[in-house]
Amino acid sequence: MKIAAMIVRILLGLLFLFSSIVVLFKLVPQPELKGGPKVFMEGMVASGYLLPLLKITELICGLAFVSGFFVPLATVVIFPIVLNILCYHAALAPEGLPVGILMLLGNLFLAFYYRKNYAGLLAVK
């Protein structure tokens, strides 16, 4: 189980690092979007803060996953972003749905692996 968690953690970390670095530093031209995905991305860019906030969060969590430091915290912080990625692909761009599902499963697996770290958060007091 320890090796599986390490593999999932590093793969998720690399995925988040790659996707955030590519967007933040504009290393690859963005593909031409149409319809709903175009409107969604235009809204995120027009807000001025949302896309950079998401990508910086992905970068920090990706570094945490790859380095192995603060992984339980990174798992919690990145979960809403992963859920949004899944919902985006389910509603607007179904061709990317398998990646969203794998990201969600990986995040849930890490949350299950580190479940003892969340005991204090989930305790009824």
Side-chain angles (χ1 to χ4, degrees):
M1 185 81 148
K2 184 178 182 179
I3 294 173
M6 186 185 319
I7 291 170
V8 170
R9 176 177 58 81
I10 291 172
L11 287 176
L12 272 178
L14 291 174
L15 181 64
F16 286 125
L17 281 175
F18 176 75
S19 69
S20 62
I21 289 171
V22 164
V23 173
L24 285 172
F25 297 110
K26 297 179 173 99
L27 298 177
V28 176
Q30 295 297 321
E32 184 65 32
L33 300 174
K34 297 175 184 164
K38 180 179 181 180
V39 172
F40 183 82
M41 290 304 289
E42 285 175 349
M44 286 181 53
V45 171
S47 72
Y49 77 94
L50 189 57
L51 191 60
L53 175 67
L54 288 175
K55 292 305 174 181
I56 289 170
T57 304
E58 286 181 13
L59 179 67
I60 292 169
C61 289
L63 288 171
F65 284 147
V66 170
S67 70
F69 293 109
F70 302 105
V71 176
L73 176 62
T75 302
V76 171
V77 170
I78 203 72
F79 184 78
I81 295 173
V82 170
L83 191 58
N84 186 54
I85 291 169
L86 178 71
C87 292
Y88 168 82
H89 286 296
L92 298 173
E95 62 275 0
L97 193 56
V99 175
I101 292 170
L102 288 175
M103 290 172 75
L104 180 67
L105 290 176
N107 199 342
L108 290 174
F109 175 76
L110 288 177
F112 177 76
Y113 182 77
Y114 290 102
R115 68 189 175 278
K116 292 181 181 169
N117 296 64
Y118 308 123
L121 293 173
L122 303 174
V124 178
K125 295 183 181 182

